Amino acid sequence: GENIDYKTDGAPPTTSVVVSEINIINEENFNDGTLGSWSEYSVVGPQKWVHDSYGGNGYAKMNGYDGGAVENEDWLLSPQLSLPTDVFITFGFISAMNYEALPLQLFVSVDYTTGDPNDVEWTEITDQAVWSAGSWVWTESGDIDLATFGGMVITLGFKYTSSTDGAATWEIDDLIVYSEEGVSVAENKTEQLRFYPNPATNVVNLNSLQSGALRITNLTGQVVYQSEITTGTISIDISTLNRGLYIIQFIGNGNKLVTGKLMVK
């Protein structure tokens, strides 16, 4: 507000509608040189999940090869996550793999706190995710629905296994768990502005009932996109934006401010 030069001969804009509430429960991109809020636990074998990077981008990596394929069981574990109730709850990540061997598995537990993951019960959700097919191709997991665990405290776990017959290398990045409430996941509406899809990946479409000024900022207030728009539908390329939560602000000709939260994944 302090950076907006309001006219002195008129009323300042007022908030009309805040669209769907998107709340980040956990987000990790491994760009601080560590595994961040996630942790590793080695059950069998000399290797373990470690931080690695390429071209300035960090990620979690597990490789069961040491002069030859080695038997391993190693877990990459989230912190305990307290999930809200009665909302959409989604988990997503990207994966890359090479040297095809045993697949990576994904589990959820409501019992795990610390120690050997095999000491508690886990629910496997591997099949809910899309995984890298190899050749180091980064692949989006798609939206993994965690709503059935709403109201619970959970731990997410990636389980890596290898044997003397073969050992793949797996890399995991851009982990995010978020909840959404208030309106449909597919589409959000306000009195003057509609934007969809939300979450969005490469393009977000905006439909405005009037012309005005539009800008998108990150959570630190940095403007990542701004433009004057007219009535109708436009498409904005967001492929260069990092995964995360952004704020859309629109001021129409009637001097009314509309804000919304946009999730980029």
Side-chain angles (χ1 to χ4, degrees):
E2 65 183 7
N3 294 323
I4 298 176
D5 186 16
Y6 296 122
K7 292 182 178 180
T8 58
D9 59 350
T14 58
T15 299
S16 169
V17 176
V18 176
V19 297
S20 63
E21 286 294 323
I22 297 177
N23 301 301
I24 296 177
I25 299 169
N26 179 260
E27 184 175 18
E28 187 58 61
N29 59 21
F30 305 111
N31 285 336
D32 66 351
T34 72
L35 293 179
S37 60
W38 289 59
S39 60
E40 58 81 22
Y41 192 94
S42 182
V43 178
V44 175
Q47 283 77 40
K48 62 182 182 180
W49 284 94
V50 296
H51 174 273
D52 202 354
S53 63
Y54 181 80
N57 180 64
Y59 47 84
K61 177 180 179 179
M62 178 61 202
N63 178 14
Y65 191 89
D66 185 14
V70 179
E71 183 181 1
N72 280 275
E73 180 189 330
D74 291 85
W75 291 71
L76 179 65
L77 299 160
S78 75
Q80 287 189 289
L81 307 173
S82 181
L83 303 184
T85 58
D86 300 326
V87 294
F88 298 100
I89 308 171
T90 303
F91 175 45
F93 60 92
I94 60 174
S95 66
M97 182 271 287
N98 209 1
Y99 314 121
E100 184 176 356
L102 296 174
L104 196 62
Q105 295 172 279
L106 179 61
F107 294 87
V108 182
S109 177
V110 296
D111 301 314
Y112 183 79
T113 54
T114 59
D116 188 342
N118 293 297
D119 291 340
V120 299
E121 294 289 329
W122 293 83
T123 300
E124 185 168 4
I125 55 173
T126 305
D127 291 344
Q128 290 192 36
V130 179
W131 300 88
S132 174
S135 302
W136 304 124
V137 176
W138 285 105
T139 303
E140 292 189 2
S141 66
D143 294 334
I144 300 168
D145 184 10
L146 298 179
T148 56
F149 299 95
M152 303 179 187
V153 177
I154 69 165
T155 302
L156 294 163
F158 291 93
K159 181 182 179 182
Y160 174 94
T161 53
S162 62
S163 71
T164 55
D165 294 327
T169 299
W170 278 95
E171 298 170 348
I172 298 293
D173 199 6
D174 291 346
L175 301 138
I176 186 166
V177 181
Y178 64 92
S179 65
E180 182 177 5
E181 58 185 327
V183 297
S184 166
V185 172
E187 186 174 290
N188 298 292
K189 297 181 179 178
T190 70
E191 293 179 359
Q192 299 170 328
L193 182 72
R194 184 167 62 97
F195 59 93
Y196 59 92
N198 188 20
T201 302
N202 295 312
V203 173
V204 61
N205 303 299
L206 297 103
N207 183 274
S208 176
L209 299 180
Q210 62 174 271
S211 58
L214 175 80
R215 71 175 182 175
I216 303 175
T217 69
N218 60 24
L219 293 184
T220 66
Q222 179 185 11
V223 178
V224 298
Y225 178 88
Q226 59 182 348
S227 177
E228 296 290 328
I229 65 172
T230 59
T231 58
T233 300
I234 64 170
S235 296
I236 298 176
D237 182 3
I238 58 170
S239 59
T240 61
L241 298 185
N242 295 325
R243 290 167 61 100
L245 190 63
Y246 293 83
I247 305 298
I248 290 181
Q249 298 176 324
F250 173 72
I251 299 179
N253 292 337
N255 216 30
K256 178 177 285 187
L257 174 67
V258 177
T259 67
K261 294 180 181 179
L262 171 68
M263 175 65 69
V264 175
K265 66 185 181 78

